[in-house]
Amino acid sequence: MKSIKDLIYFDLEKARSLISQIKGGLISEISRAFEDEGEFGSELGFDFKLIKGKLSGKEKERNIKTEKIEIYHELLNQIEEELEKKKLLTNINDTFDNFKGSYNDFIKTTQGFSFIKAIGWSQFEDFERLKNIFTNFNEIQRLIFSSQLLESPEVKSMQQQIKDSKKGAENLERNQKAKELNRLKSLEKQFDDKLKELTEIHVFDDDYINRMKMFLDTFSPNRLNFRLLPLDDFNDFQILANLKEKYLVDSNFESIIYTYGTRPNIKLSVLGIITSCPQTTDQRVDPNDEFLIYNDDELNEVQGFDKAFRNVFTSFEAFEKFFFVPSFPKLSISPIAIYREVIYDEEK
C-alpha cells in the first residue's frame, strides 16, 4: 500500500542528521535539486526568503518551493523506510492492534521503543496565542457585548468618556498622565459594571491578566505544543511534542489554524524519537541523593551552597510538570514530521 502525505511540520535539520547517520552521508539526489540552482551558496538553500531575494520571477519562486516540499516528502519516505528496515520504527497503532496482552501490559513495553509513528486525534497548543488572547480578552468582550447596546444613551456616553480619556492621556506629562490613567481605569470599571448589569459579559481583573502573562512568559515563552491520542479507547495514552515554528511547512501557525484548526477533526500522523517515557515507578538516580548520608552541619561551605542551589532546581521541576512534561502513561517525542496521510492501493 502507498500513501500521499500533506506535510504540516518537518524538522529538516533532524531529518538530514538522521538520514546521514543511516546512509553514511546525505544522499546526493536529495541535495542536488538545490545545489544545481547555484545562486545562493553551497549550503542547501532551504531559507525561502533567501531564495526569493536572489532568484527572479514568481514562477521560479513557486518552482523552488514546490521542489522543496517534494524533497521533504522524499526525505521523510526514506527515513521511514530505513528505520523500518533496521527495526527501529514502531507503529503505535499497528503494534497495539496486534498486541496479545492487556492495555497495561502494552504500556510497559513502550519504554523499549525508540522511533515511533502514530496516527490519531490531535491538538495544537500555542501558548503565545493564548497570551495574546488573555491580553486582549477584556477589550474583545467589551466590543462584543457593548455592540448589543448601541442605542443606549448611557452606554454611548460612557464609551465616549473612555475614548476622550485615552486620547487626552497621550500627550500629558508623566505625573498628569498617571492621574489620567487612573481616571481611565475607573471609567473602564464603571463601564464594565454597567455591561454586567445589562448583559452576561465576563471580564478578568487586570492584575489577574498581568499575572497570567508573567506566568506564561516565565514557564512557556514562545511555546507551541502538539498532542496526539493514538488509541481511541484509551485517551490517557498521549504523545506530546514541542514544535519549532521555523519548521512549520507553511511558515506560520496561523496557516494551520485556517486549514486544520487547533483541534483537527481529521486524524493526523506524527513521526519522532521518544525523549521521555515515564513509568509508574521512577527508576532514575537522583543526583541530590549524594547528600543523604550527610547532616547539614557536616557539609562544608561549598557543598552547602551546591545543595541549596540544586534544591532550587528540584523545586522548579515541580512547576515544569504543569507545562507539557509528560506523566505516566504519556510519552514525549522530538518530532521529525507531522502530516496527514492518505493511504491507497496502487493499481497493478
Side-chain angles (χ1 to χ4, degrees):
M1 296 224 293
K2 297 260 185 177
S3 72
I4 298 172
K5 298 179 176 73
D6 180 30
L7 275 172
I8 297 170
Y9 179 89
F10 188 73
D11 188 333
L12 175 64
E13 297 306 316
K14 196 178 297 295
R16 290 177 63 188
S17 172
L18 187 56
I19 202 70
S20 69
Q21 293 177 69
I22 294 173
K23 302 291 286 187
L26 190 61
I27 303 169
S28 60
E29 288 79 8
I30 299 234
S31 60
R32 186 179 301 132
F34 285 95
E35 290 173 350
D36 286 350
E37 294 296 335
E39 296 183 39
F40 46 89
S42 59
E43 292 294 318
L44 292 182
F46 286 103
D47 185 342
F48 190 44
K49 292 179 181 178
L50 180 64
I51 295 171
K52 289 176 73 174
K54 295 194 177 182
L55 296 175
S56 59
K58 292 184 179 179
E59 189 63 36
K60 190 70 167 180
E61 293 172 8
R62 282 198 296 270
N63 288 340
I64 289 294
K65 186 165 187 179
T66 301
E67 200 162 40
K68 177 180 74 171
I69 300 301
E70 289 173 353
I71 286 182
Y72 285 1
H73 287 136
E74 181 60 26
L75 260 176
L76 177 57
N77 290 336
Q78 292 214 19
I79 287 171
E80 287 192 27
E81 288 173 12
E82 293 297 331
L83 290 175
E84 285 175 352
K85 282 181 188 176
K86 292 176 168 47
K87 302 188 185 306
L88 293 172
L89 182 62
T90 302
N91 186 308
I92 294 292
N93 305 82
D94 292 346
T95 302
F96 181 75
D97 289 343
N98 296 317
F99 191 73
K100 301 301 182 184
S102 67
Y103 166 72
N104 290 332
D105 290 336
F106 171 77
I107 292 300
K108 291 176 183 176
T109 67
T110 58
Q111 59 185 315
F113 300 164
S114 52
F115 291 92
I116 62 171
K117 176 183 176 180
I119 181 172
W121 301 113
S122 61
Q123 180 169 313
F124 294 92
E125 301 168 357
D126 184 353
F127 281 79
E128 196 64 25
R129 187 165 180 262
L130 175 63
K131 188 177 74 175
N132 289 336
I133 290 172
F134 258 109
T135 301
N136 299 298
F137 182 83
N138 285 352
E139 284 300 320
I140 293 170
Q141 289 284 87
R142 291 175 185 130
L143 174 66
I144 293 171
F145 284 93
S146 64
S147 65
Q148 304 171 18
L149 306 167
L150 292 177
E151 301 306 316
S152 168
E154 187 177 6
V155 170
K156 289 172 72 174
S157 173
M158 295 176 80
Q159 285 179 313
Q160 188 61 46
Q161 289 182 60
I162 291 171
K163 183 178 178 181
D164 292 342
S165 180
K166 285 181 177 179
K167 188 174 181 180
E170 290 177 0
N171 299 318
L172 294 176
E173 296 294 330
R174 183 175 178 181
N175 290 337
Q176 292 177 308
K177 189 170 185 177
K179 188 181 294 185
E180 186 63 25
L181 289 175
N182 285 332
R183 178 173 173 271
L184 175 61
K185 288 184 75 172
S186 177
L187 288 171
E188 288 180 335
K189 178 70 168 57
Q190 293 173 38
F191 184 62
D192 291 343
D193 290 341
K194 176 55 65 175
L195 289 180
K196 288 176 184 177
E197 179 186 324
L198 300 174
T199 70
E200 297 180 355
I201 189 174
H202 173 77
V203 292
F204 290 114
D205 179 75
D206 286 340
D207 288 338
Y208 173 77
I209 290 176
N210 290 331
R211 286 200 240 14
M212 280 297 299
K213 286 166 61 180
M214 180 182 69
F215 196 74
L216 293 170
D217 282 335
T218 302
F219 291 102
S220 58
N222 303 314
R223 183 169 245 182
L224 175 59
N225 294 336
F226 178 71
R227 186 184 300 268
L228 186 130
L229 287 68
L231 309 179
D232 289 354
D233 295 327
F234 301 96
N235 55 22
D236 59 337
F237 179 66
Q238 301 176 12
I239 298 169
L240 314 179
N242 179 238
L243 309 183
K244 301 171 186 174
E245 189 168 6
K246 65 180 180 178
Y247 294 130
L248 294 172
V249 173
D250 283 337
S251 302
N252 64 75
F253 183 60
E254 297 300 318
S255 297
I256 297 175
I257 295 174
Y258 298 135
T259 50
Y260 286 97
T262 54
R263 189 180 167 206
N265 56 21
I266 289 172
K267 289 187 176 183
L268 299 182
S269 297
V270 66
L271 173 73
I273 184 170
I274 292 179
T275 55
S276 181
C277 184
Q279 300 298 307
T280 51
T281 303
D282 193 346
Q283 300 173 350
R284 295 175 296 175
V285 175
D286 189 340
N288 289 334
D289 286 351
E290 69 169 287
F291 297 113
L292 293 177
I293 61 174
Y294 300 103
N295 294 321
D296 286 345
D297 57 3
E298 295 178 301
L299 300 175
N300 61 37
E301 185 177 354
V302 174
Q303 289 173 319
F305 191 76
D306 185 25
K307 180 183 177 182
F309 259 94
R310 290 212 220 157
N311 285 336
V312 171
F313 285 112
T314 300
S315 65
F316 285 167
E317 191 177 344
F319 276 112
E320 289 170 353
K321 290 179 181 178
F322 290 104
F323 286 93
F324 226 62
V325 175
S327 57
F328 179 84
K330 298 174 179 65
L331 306 175
S332 72
I333 65 169
S334 178
I336 299 167
I338 298 169
Y339 50 93
R340 185 190 175 192
E341 186 170 29
V342 179
I343 298 172
Y344 66 96
D345 290 319
E346 192 172 22
E347 293 183 7
K348 296 182 180 179

